[in-house]
Amino acid sequence: MQILTLFLVALVALEHIGIAGLEMFGKPDQQAKAFDMPLDFVKDKHAQTALANQGIYNGLLGVLILAMILFFTGTTLKIIMILLMLYVIIVAVYGAMTATRKIIFLQGLPAFIALIFVLFFYR
């Protein structure tokens, strides 16, 4: 079950790297659809800058989670995974309240499932 737990946490990381790619390099029509934003807004230069800035945070969060899995073990890894999955869940809740409700399902739910596995199956 520990391998499955690490796999689930890694999927959360890969999801964030994918989101970063969409935020930083996606076409405005893809971004508007994915983030439930008006296309005219997403095409704005300032919105593109904000999305790219948000993308770098998501991408580096994903890289951090993957690096954590590679460099830590045992109790230290468990604590870090708990903290990072809680972080993702909190950010997803905030995003669901301020941007689009689907964030809670697309980002929060995978992190919640990974958190449950960390808490109960990672030793």
Side-chain angles (χ1 to χ4, degrees):
M1 288 302 262
Q2 287 192 6
I3 298 295
L4 177 60
T5 301
L6 293 174
F7 178 75
L8 292 173
V9 172
L11 282 179
V12 171
L14 293 174
E15 176 184 31
H16 279 79
I17 292 169
I19 291 168
L22 179 60
E23 290 170 336
M24 296 174 72
F25 307 112
K27 294 179 181 171
D29 58 324
Q30 294 170 318
Q31 294 168 328
K33 183 179 178 187
F35 304 120
D36 289 339
M37 295 181 184
L39 182 58
D40 290 341
F41 172 75
V42 175
K43 285 184 177 181
D44 182 77
K45 179 184 177 209
H46 299 291
Q48 284 294 304
T49 301
L51 279 169
N53 187 47
Q54 186 173 319
I56 195 73
Y57 279 94
N58 274 313
L60 290 177
L61 174 62
V63 169
L64 174 68
I65 293 169
L66 291 176
M68 172 237 4
I69 291 170
L70 293 173
F71 294 119
F72 295 99
T73 60
T75 304
T76 303
L77 177 57
K78 183 173 184 172
I79 292 168
I80 294 170
M81 287 190 294
I82 290 168
L83 291 173
L84 287 174
M85 292 305 104
L86 284 172
Y87 171 82
V88 171
I89 292 165
I90 292 166
V91 170
V93 168
Y94 182 80
M97 292 186 322
T98 59
T100 177
R101 293 188 193 270
K102 70 181 180 182
I103 291 174
I104 196 71
F105 299 107
L106 296 176
Q107 287 180 293
L109 185 59
F112 181 73
I113 293 168
L115 175 63
I116 296 301
F117 271 74
V118 171
L119 291 171
F120 291 105
F121 301 116
Y122 191 83
R123 302 200 190 286

